[in-house]
Amino acid sequence: MLAARCLLTIVLFLLGVPNLSQARIGDTLQQAIERYGKVVNKAPGNEFVMFKEASFYITAHLHDDKTDAITYVKTGSQSSVKSAFSDEEIEMLLRINGNGQTWERSSTKAGVYEWKTEDRKLQAVYSESKFLVITTASYLKRLDEAAKKKSKEENKQRAPSGGQKSGTARKRRLNPTPRKSSSALDKQGG
């Protein structure tokens, strides 16, 4: 009898979980909406969309109308703001998004855990700040390229242009002696 109750509990849990975590890498926006229902928040152009399930907030990043990054954050209960993911929850979310591949855990930093699929096309990061992010390698590549481009533009804006340097040199040649301030003239008596 006890075994039957345990089995029933497990089956009921599993029946409820697939709906919760079925957003998958590669899903379209329409597929995500069919799984979760109403979008609770979205960025202009549907680049990011957020859904709320009983246990999670799920944010899907879309590129070419396909999900290429998913962030899972546990919703807070009344007694806590956010709770940590269990190992089983992380494994389930990795499995669902892994397209049948095995995830390999890589070296971790304090409070951060990382995984990659065997083919290195998918990566995941879990932080003790209680979120799990699963991304495609192409998503990370685009992020890296965007960061490099932004850095290059910022450096270009900071660097003085050639015209500014020569203009400053010309002004110095026209005014070889610096002007004395009025307080310096007062001290000299004049």
Side-chain angles (χ1 to χ4, degrees), residues 16 21-22 33-34 39 69 71 73-74 144 146 178 189:
S21 53
Q22 292 246 346
I33 290 171
E34 288 171 10
V39 172
T71 303
V73 179
K74 289 187 86 171
D144 186 51

Side-chain angles (χ1 to χ4, degrees), residues 158-176:
R158 285 185 201 138
S161 67
Q164 288 176 327
K165 287 180 182 178
S166 61
T168 303
R170 242 184 270 128
K171 286 180 186 176
R172 285 188 184 144
R173 274 184 265 137
L174 294 174
N175 280 332

Side-chain angles (χ1 to χ4, degrees), residues 94 103 112-115 123-127 131-135:
L94 293 176
W103 289 85
V112 177
Y113 305 91
E114 299 177 355
W115 296 265
Q123 298 180 30
V125 175
Y126 175 69
S127 170
F131 63 87
L132 175 69
V133 180
I134 301 172
T135 64

Side-chain angles (χ1 to χ4, degrees), residues 142-160:
R142 281 193 313 279
L143 276 183
D144 186 51
E145 289 169 354
K148 286 178 183 176
K149 182 179 177 182
K150 183 177 179 180
S151 176
K152 195 180 278 188
E153 288 172 0
E154 287 173 351
N155 287 338
K156 190 186 276 187
Q157 289 176 353
R158 285 185 201 138

Side-chain angles (χ1 to χ4, degrees), residues 66 116 152 180:
K66 299 280 185 186
K116 292 181 182 182
K152 195 180 278 188
K180 293 183 179 180

Side-chain angles (χ1 to χ4, degrees), residues 6-99:
C6 288
L7 183 59
L8 179 61
T9 302
I10 291 170
V11 168
L12 290 174
F13 174 74
L14 291 175
L15 287 174
V17 170
N19 184 39
L20 152 75
S21 53
Q22 292 246 346
R24 290 189 178 105
I25 297 291
D27 274 358
T28 64
L29 174 58
Q30 188 57 40
Q31 289 170 316
I33 290 171
E34 288 171 10
R35 293 182 203 284
Y36 296 109
K38 183 178 141 189
V39 172
V40 296
N41 197 0
K42 69 178 184 173
N46 292 332
E47 184 179 352
F48 292 94
V49 292
M50 180 186 279
F51 302 92
K52 184 178 185 302
E53 281 290 318
S55 302
F56 294 93
Y57 284 102
I58 300 146
T59 302
H61 177 269
L62 298 154
H63 180 74
D64 292 337
D65 196 38
K66 299 280 185 186
T67 301
D68 65 349
I70 298 176
T71 303
Y72 297 94
V73 179
K74 289 187 86 171
T75 58
S77 66
Q78 292 176 351
S79 61
S80 70
V81 178
K82 294 180 191 172
S83 59
F85 284 71
S86 69
D87 289 342
E88 293 79 20
E89 287 171 321
I90 293 171
E91 288 174 24
M92 176 193 60
L93 293 169
L94 293 176
R95 185 174 51 253
I96 286 171
N97 286 284
N99 299 322

